[in-house]
Amino acid sequence: MNLKADSADVAFTFKGGMLPMTVMELNSADPEQIRQQLEGKLSQSPAFFQHTPVVLSVEKLDTPHLALERICAVCRDHKLLPVAVRGGTDPVKQSAWALGLGWFAPVEEERARRLASIAAENDSAEEQVPQNAPEEVTESTGARLYRGTVRSGQQVSASNGDLVVIGAVNAGAEVLAAGSIHVYGALRGRALAGIHGNLGAGIYCRELNAELLSVAGNYKRLEDIDARRLGTPAEVHFESEQLEIKPLA
Amino acid sequence: MAKIIVVTSGKGGVGKTTSAAAISTGLALRGKKTVVIDFDVGLRNLDLIMGCERRVVYDLVNVIQGEAGLNQALIRDKRVENLFILPASQTRDKDALTQEGVEEILAKLKEEFDYILCDSPAGIERGAQLAMYFADEAVVVTNPEVSSVRDSDRILGLLASKTRRAERSDAPIKEHLLITRYNPDRVTSGDMLTLDDIREILAIDLLGLIPESEAVLRASNQGVPVTHDAASDAGQAYTDTVSRLLGEDVPLRFHQAQKKGILTRMFGGSRR
């Protein structure tokens, strides 16, 4: 805070912020199907549906036109607040704007394709050439290195890639990354990896005492963590629909 | 060149004012011309601890608002030469402090003094931020308990981001850890955090360790900084702290539980 700033002079200030955001990845464009699934989820975990802001990701859909207005209405009926759309064709972008929603470019596209290709062990020359070029860009701009202790009340984030902390993350501090989080020290605060929905992200630390661990929105609180893992080197991944905490071997 | 040292903690009641009084007294006893400023506008305590509450005429806010000169507001300590107190206002609130006003006062004091100690109020609001804003060094006072350590951690984050040195990207503020109310017996029994726990979490240099002591309470109530009580453990610990602040290498004392002799156990005597 600049102590000189007279709050009466400025109506507002712009600040960069990293907020955890739920991404709703649509596999179907059928509003009815979405409605049915939402009704099921709503009965399971009503606490989640509290006018929760969501980003509708339509990257997986092939349809050039979407009944975006109806999908949004279904979401609102179930106390989800669509705030933006990610991916999709130009008409989708136009209709998102018309509905007062933001539009994001499909950021995960390259990454997802690369991971998929590794999983399939597909190393044909055709796939590899386009894959190498963007990877270099990601590496030079994505990862963020932070040296020192992340202290209570501080937030350190890497919005494009991995976050590497050489030091401890203390209780009351928060570290966030689009990719994985590596803490070369004690992790006592909150760590949120894969904040843009990357389920392949992980959290690694030398001493696990985290208040909260989250990978792509799937979280565990300190209370939920197996006591045997506390205070030891650990890695955290999203596996078989839940967060798995394993000794860092 | 005068050094500005802020004594801060985040949490209240951990011993900031006691430490500010004791350290400034120690510095003056070592021949350094020292002034200690109470930034706790509205809840002034420093004058009580220093035993000069009956001699307060003008205060920090009066000086900032131009109602009194700096020399009129400075109170000369009766016990030590070279020691002055600039009290806080009891009747104003913290909004009466301005950054420009504080800067001006500190600039004037810098011409005359070797050490300027700023006794910060608790919290992380305006008063605390002003007390630390111009500092060269910081003494972070921490009790061996979880909430105090966390608040100190928060303060350390602010020292690294919301001070003039941070904003100008100058050399960072030199941070010192001062642990107060340390009771080795209660540490051994697990009621308190250990010295190593605290150092590991806060990861800054240890300046001193003050044992929990009746001497501190007595000193506060009598209005005599505990440094004057050279026979007491707390007084000696503050003297060691001051030596370290002056760059001397002094071994750490009072951090291990004392073995009780048969007489102490029989008569329940406690250390002075």
Side-chain angles (χ1 to χ4, degrees), chain A residues 213-232:
Chain A
L213 294 164
S214 163
V215 174
N218 303 282
Y219 66 87
K220 267 194 177 175
R221 299 165 301 168
L222 183 53
E223 210 178 79
D224 312 323
I225 300 174
D226 184 351
R228 286 170 299 177
R229 295 279 89 82
L230 294 180
T232 64

Side-chain angles (χ1 to χ4, degrees), chain A residues 43-100:
Chain A
S43 57
Q44 279 168 21
S45 50
F48 179 73
F49 297 90
Q50 301 276 346
H51 301 288
T52 311
V54 291
V55 175
L56 298 174
S57 163
V58 298
E59 286 153 87
K60 285 194 175 173
L61 301 179
D62 287 335
T63 43
H65 292 275
L66 276 177
L68 201 56
E69 196 170 353
R70 282 182 60 201
I71 296 174
C72 287
V74 168
C75 289
R76 289 198 195 96
D77 285 347
H78 295 82
K79 291 194 178 173
L80 288 180
L81 221 57
V83 290
V85 174
R86 191 171 74 190
T89 55
D90 226 34
V92 172
K93 190 202 287 191
Q94 297 301 334
S95 52
W97 286 344
L99 287 166

Side-chain angles (χ1 to χ4, degrees), chain B residues 168-216:
Chain B
R168 290 184 177 178
S169 304
D170 292 343
I173 290 183
K174 209 166 158 188
E175 299 152 340
H176 306 281
L177 175 62
L178 179 64
I179 300 174
T180 54
R181 295 202 173 151
Y182 196 78
N183 185 331
D185 294 323
R186 291 182 64 192
V187 169
T188 312
S189 66
D191 296 345
M192 282 183 171
L193 288 178
T194 69
L195 177 60
D196 290 338
D197 287 342
I198 304 171
R199 291 175 81 169
E200 200 206 313
I201 294 173
L202 296 180
I204 56 171
D205 287 338
L206 182 67
L207 178 71
L209 181 136
I210 314 299
E212 190 168 47
S213 168
E214 287 166 21
V216 173

Side-chain angles (χ1 to χ4, degrees), chain A residues 128-204:
Chain A
Q128 274 197 344
V129 177
Q131 170 188 323
N132 281 343
E135 191 175 336
E136 271 184 40
V137 179
T138 320
E139 277 187 357
S140 62
T141 57
R144 179 173 176 195
L145 177 68
Y146 183 93
R147 264 178 211 281
T149 308
V150 187
R151 298 191 182 278
S152 178
Q154 291 181 328
Q155 196 183 52
V156 177
S157 63
S159 48
N160 295 317
D162 288 6
L163 175 67
V164 179
V165 178
I166 306 205
V169 176
N170 275 351
E174 191 168 70
V175 285
L176 309 121
S180 298
I181 296 173
H182 311 259
V183 181
Y184 292 91
L187 173 56
R188 307 184 184 100
R190 300 157 67 93
L192 292 91
I195 49 174
H196 299 320
N198 181 3
L199 284 167
I203 301 169
Y204 310 84

